[in-house]
Amino acid sequence: MRETDCIFCKIAAGEIPSKTIYEDERFRVILDISPATKGHALIISKEHYANIYELPEEMAASAMVLAKKLAAHMTEILQCDGFNIIQNNREPAGQTVFHFHMHLIPRYKGDGNQEKICWNHLELSQEELEDICQKLS
Ligand code: AMP
Ligand code: ZN
């Protein structure tokens, strides 16, 4: 399944050229065109799933195993000092390309980004924490 107007479907199918660093039957891994750091890459599913909600469980498992392998490989080759794996879902969470992908971001001491890719910290009461915990458990 693919969507005709989806740029990542076209990249995954090889119809739009990309800097591909890995490919198998399920995924293509490319360098991000607007990278956070040197080596920033994207694991892109070959089939079109808009986000993690649509992604089948076995694809999610394979994506995470691939992310782990590539984190080790890229860290060795690029000699980076740390590594972020980030995956955005839907617009309020920062997703801009609505085809499932995972960001692999090598991190270097003093690379100019905040160490922690970043969120504000809420101060919630014990009651609010308890309420959320009960709803989710
Ligand atoms: P997200 O904001 O999580 O949806 O991430 C989308 C990412 O795709 C961004 O980091 C973009 O820089 C990257 N991107 C968009 N178009 C291309 C492209 N043609 N080739 C490589 N990366 C792209
Ligand atoms: Zn797509």
Side-chain angles (χ1 to χ4, degrees):
M1 279 278 271
R2 52 171 295 174
E3 298 232 327
T4 36
D5 279 337
C6 173
I7 187 166
F8 280 6
C9 279
K10 290 177 183 159
I11 288 174
E15 290 164 17
I16 292 179
S18 63
K19 297 272 185 261
T20 295
I21 63 169
Y22 174 86
E23 185 179 1
D24 62 25
E25 66 280 2
R26 294 179 155 182
F27 301 102
R28 183 188 288 270
V29 184
I30 67 167
L31 295 183
D32 195 296
I33 203 167
S34 182
T37 65
K38 283 186 183 171
H40 181 170
L42 303 171
I43 298 178
I44 298 175
S45 60
K46 288 202 166 170
E47 292 215 14
H48 182 91
Y49 306 104
N51 51 41
I52 195 95
Y53 304 111
E54 290 189 1
L55 193 72
E57 282 188 4
E58 64 276 13
M59 287 288 291
S62 304
M64 187 48 89
V65 171
L66 180 57
K68 176 180 165 52
K69 287 181 178 160
L70 286 169
H73 174 68
M74 292 166 72
T75 299
E76 188 187 334
I77 301 293
L78 299 170
Q79 292 286 291
C80 57
D81 305 304
F83 212 90
N84 292 120
I85 296 172
I86 295 173
Q87 200 276 308
N88 302 320
N89 298 285
R90 296 183 177 162
E91 220 169 326
Q95 188 176 11
T96 58
V97 178
F98 298 96
H99 174 129
F100 175 83
H101 56 280
M102 290 173 84
H103 294 260
L104 305 175
I105 307 181
R107 297 301 306 276
Y108 307 87
K109 282 181 196 145
D111 66 21
N113 295 287
Q114 298 202 10
E115 284 81 5
K116 186 165 110 178
I117 292 189
C118 166
W119 54 83
N120 300 324
H121 294 272
L122 292 177
E123 284 187 23
L124 294 186
S125 66
Q126 283 303 315
E127 291 73 28
E128 287 169 309
L129 288 171
E130 183 57 34
D131 181 48
I132 295 163
C133 186
Q134 283 195 7
K135 281 180 181 147
L136 291 177
S137 57

